[in-house]
């Protein structure tokens, strides 16, 4: 099975790159800033959105472009959106916990009109059917991932997430899943919690402070998934 791991941030991806000894293939996606790292067997591909002005390209637009070129150039059997996220203590989330998604949607695309536009705006994309079995085997919790274009969260978005069963909030997953749905490529999401949305007032401080703990957990989850799939 050929697997493509999609990451937004270097800090999220570096533990995986180091652990597997993945080598960068410079210029593979040129002229895009997207970066490719691969193993010697060409079975695991790690793709980073790249940087602009020395800052990681985060968010839906970068994730969508990265996913499209990864699918076109690498033709993976499975795409995995990997990264960090926020969670809610009231739903059992804790800092450093890794999750496998049981669903993914957008939480900030408000489209007035009929139900069809609203359905398209939310997305609610299916995840790979093997996700639950892997989560059970690896003893990882599952939760619905919701994606938006901002790190912060409005009260309206918070309520929308709650009403639709969201448990983990981040900025790329639904965009990755959207592109995968167009190309009919299965998608899976592995996310690790850096900040608790209903506990701390300074979310960005918690995000930065807990990044190392979360990425260590993310590496363990990725390693478990890749071991099972290989």
């Amino acid at each position: 099975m050929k697997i493509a791991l999609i990451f937004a941030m270097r800090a999220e991806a570096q533990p995986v790159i180091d652990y597997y000894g993945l080598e960068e293939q410079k210029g593979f996606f040129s002229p895009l800033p997207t970066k490719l790292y691969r193993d010697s067997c060409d079975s695991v591909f790690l793709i980073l959105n790249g940087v602009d002005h020395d800052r990681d390209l985060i968010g839906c637009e970068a994730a969508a472009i990265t996913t499209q070129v990864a699918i076109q150039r690498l033709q993976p059997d499975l795409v995995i959106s990997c990264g960090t996220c926020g969670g809610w203590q009231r739903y059992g989330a804790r800092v450093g916990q890794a999750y496998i998604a049981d669903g993914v949607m957008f939480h900030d695309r408000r489209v007035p009109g009929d139900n069809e536009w609203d359905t398209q705006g939310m997305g609610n994309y299916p995840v790979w059917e093997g996700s639950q079995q892997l989560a059970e085997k690896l003893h990882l919790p599952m939760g619905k991932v919701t994606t938006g274009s901002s790190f912060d969260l409005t009260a309206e978005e918070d309520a929308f997430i709650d009403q639709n069963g969201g448990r983990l909030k981040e900025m790329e997953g639904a965009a990755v899943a959207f592109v995968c749905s167009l190309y009919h490529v299965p998608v899976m999401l592995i996310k690790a919690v850096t900040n608790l949305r209903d506990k701390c007032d300074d979310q960005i401080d918690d995000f930065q402070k807990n990044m190392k703990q979360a990425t260590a957990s993310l590496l363990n989850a990725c390693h478990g998934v890749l071991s099972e799939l290989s």
Side-chain angles (χ1 to χ4, degrees), residues 2-4 67-68 70-72 74-80 125-128 176-188:
K2 188 187 292 187
I3 302 167
T67 305
Q68 180 170 12
I71 290 173
Q72 289 177 334
L74 302 172
Q75 299 184 338
D77 301 302
L78 175 67
V79 169
I80 305 179
Y125 305 105
V127 296
W128 177 53
V176 174
F178 165 64
V179 177
C180 286
S181 73
L182 297 180
Y183 283 92
H184 305 290
V185 176
V187 65
M188 180 179 177

Side-chain angles (χ1 to χ4, degrees), residues 136-147:
E136 291 173 354
K137 185 168 288 190
L138 298 171
H139 305 290
L140 291 173
M142 301 192 80
K144 187 174 187 178
V145 171
T146 79
T147 300

Side-chain angles (χ1 to χ4, degrees), residues 109-210:
R109 300 207 299 185
R110 293 174 287 276
V111 185
D114 55 31
N115 290 335
E116 284 72 20
W117 281 118
D118 190 47
T119 297
Q120 184 188 125
M122 285 179 62
N124 269 331
Y125 305 105
V127 296
W128 177 53
E129 59 185 10
S131 296
Q132 182 175 348
Q133 183 179 359
L134 274 177
E136 291 173 354
K137 185 168 288 190
L138 298 171
H139 305 290
L140 291 173
M142 301 192 80
K144 187 174 187 178
V145 171
T146 79
T147 300
S149 294
S150 299
F151 181 84
D152 62 4
L153 197 63
T154 68
E156 182 179 9
E157 290 165 355
D158 199 352
F160 184 80
I161 290 170
D162 196 54
Q163 291 164 9
N164 289 277
R167 296 295 180 264
L168 306 166
K169 181 264 181 199
E170 46 85 83
M171 297 178 66
E172 289 87 21
V176 174
F178 165 64
V179 177
C180 286
S181 73
L182 297 180
Y183 283 92
H184 305 290
V185 176
V187 65
M188 180 179 177
L189 293 87
I190 305 174
K191 304 291 173 176
V193 176
T194 52
N195 51 298
L196 298 173
R197 306 294 316 185
D198 53 354
K199 181 182 177 183
C200 179
D201 292 331
D202 194 339
Q203 294 290 319
I204 193 68
D205 182 66
D206 264 18
F207 170 76
Q208 294 169 337
K209 180 176 65 178
N210 297 324

